[in-house]
């Protein structure tokens, strides 16, 4: 069976990308990473992809006068690479309508908080400052809002007394590295069915590609 082709968009260190590379390598994720695109030339994700022999592409948003032109360029590269699912892994750009029209219900993101609590940036510090006892991570489909799309999977971690934002981020990242491949595997098996805002997870063997 043809493997799902992933297009990973990243801006930073790329530990989530690394977990996807590792899961693909050991076949616990039935997908292949077709291309990694970064908007930041210094992104650690680029080096991780190159080391794994994955095609990379740096498209610096600063080289574009307007956002739509940047978006069109990224979409073009994804389409040229035959991508079936766009995976945002620490991609620090807003994904606008040009992306959503090109890949309807085929863009997912991971967010380091339990949505709908704490969307946006610096969310580990926000969870600490709020006094939340638990936080975690959320994998969701991307829609027109910021961190508002239908939720696929979530994992919970405790917020401990004395946690710094970095402490909490590290605890959450462990779960991210487990959760993201799991969600992508469900997508690859055709087991995610959208019903309005709700994502139904179909039993194994019932998806069209199973
Ligand atoms: C992760 O915490 C992810 O949830 C958020 O950005 C961070 C990316 O980390 N969207 P990394 O680059 O994958 O290490």
């Amino acid at each position: 069976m043809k493997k799902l082709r992933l297009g990973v968009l990243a801006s930073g260190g790329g530990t989530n990308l690394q977990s996807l590379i590792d899961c693909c390598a050991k076949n616990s994720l039935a997908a292949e990473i077709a291309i990694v695109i970064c908007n930041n030339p210094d992104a650690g994700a680029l080096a991780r992809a190159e080391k794994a022999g994955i095609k990379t592409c740096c498209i610096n948003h600063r080289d574009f006068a307007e956002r739509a032109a940047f978006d069109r360029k990224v979409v073009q590269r994804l389409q040229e690479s035959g991508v079936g699912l766009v995976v945002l892994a620490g991609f620090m750009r807003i994904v606008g309508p040009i992306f959503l029209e090109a890949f309807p219900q085929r863009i997912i993101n991971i967010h380091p908080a339990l949505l709908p609590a704490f969307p946006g940036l610096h969310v580990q510090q926000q969870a600490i400052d709020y006094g939340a006892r638990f936080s975690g991570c959320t994998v969701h489909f991307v829609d027109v809002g910021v961190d508002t799309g239908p939720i696929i999977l979530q994992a919970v971690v405790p917020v401990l007394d004395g946690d710094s934002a970095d402490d909490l981020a590290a605890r959450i990242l462990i779960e991210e590295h487990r959760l993201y491949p799991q969600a992508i595997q469900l997508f690859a098996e055709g087991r995610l069915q959208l019903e309005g805002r709700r994502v139904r997870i179909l039993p194994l063997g019932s998806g069209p590609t199973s």
Side-chain angles (χ1 to χ4, degrees):
M1 197 172 59
K2 225 170 146 255
K3 279 188 179 172
L4 175 68
R5 290 173 68 77
L6 308 177
V8 180
L9 306 188
S11 305
T15 65
N16 275 289
L17 168 67
Q18 189 65 53
S19 85
L20 299 181
I21 292 171
D22 296 344
C23 287
C24 288
K26 56 180 196 239
N27 278 323
S28 60
L29 176 54
E32 60 185 307
I33 303 175
I35 188 166
V36 171
I37 301 178
C38 294
N39 63 308
N40 164 17
D42 301 322
L46 281 175
R48 289 179 190 270
E50 277 160 17
K51 192 169 169 219
I54 296 166
K55 181 162 80 170
T56 61
C57 171
C58 179
I59 304 175
N60 192 336
H61 60 282
R62 294 179 204 277
D63 295 340
F64 295 80
E66 43 175 57
R67 202 176 78 186
F70 169 79
D71 290 1
R72 273 195 294 274
K73 184 76 193 169
V74 176
V75 162
Q76 184 197 339
R77 293 311 294 263
L78 291 167
Q79 287 172 333
E80 284 167 1
S81 299
V83 163
L85 179 68
V86 179
V87 176
L88 309 185
F91 186 57
M92 302 303 282
R93 308 294 301 165
I94 289 180
V95 167
I98 290 170
F99 279 95
L100 295 167
E101 277 162 30
F103 294 96
Q105 284 152 19
R106 286 185 165 264
I107 308 176
I108 62 173
N109 182 43
I110 188 157
H111 180 74
L114 291 176
L115 293 170
F118 310 123
L121 296 174
H122 311 299
V123 297
Q124 296 90 350
Q125 189 63 53
Q126 282 188 54
I128 291 167
D129 292 345
Y130 196 88
R133 291 289 182 197
F134 293 92
S135 190
C137 51
T138 304
V139 180
H140 64 92
F141 283 107
V142 173
D143 68 5
V144 284
V146 175
D147 302 324
T148 54
I151 291 170
I152 301 170
L153 292 177
Q154 293 187 300
V156 179
V157 307
V159 182
L160 302 179
D161 291 344
D163 265 354
S164 67
D166 285 348
D167 295 333
L168 181 57
R171 196 174 305 120
I172 292 171
L173 265 180
I174 293 169
E175 292 303 308
E176 291 187 38
H177 298 159
R178 187 182 61 77
L179 204 68
Y180 219 2
Q182 200 182 325
I184 295 168
Q185 180 64 23
L186 288 171
F187 184 95
E189 290 169 350
R191 293 172 60 195
L192 299 178
Q193 193 176 76
L194 262 168
E195 291 174 4
R197 272 211 60 86
R198 295 186 68 90
V199 179
R200 184 185 290 272
I201 298 177
L202 303 174
L204 189 61
S206 59
T209 58
S210 303

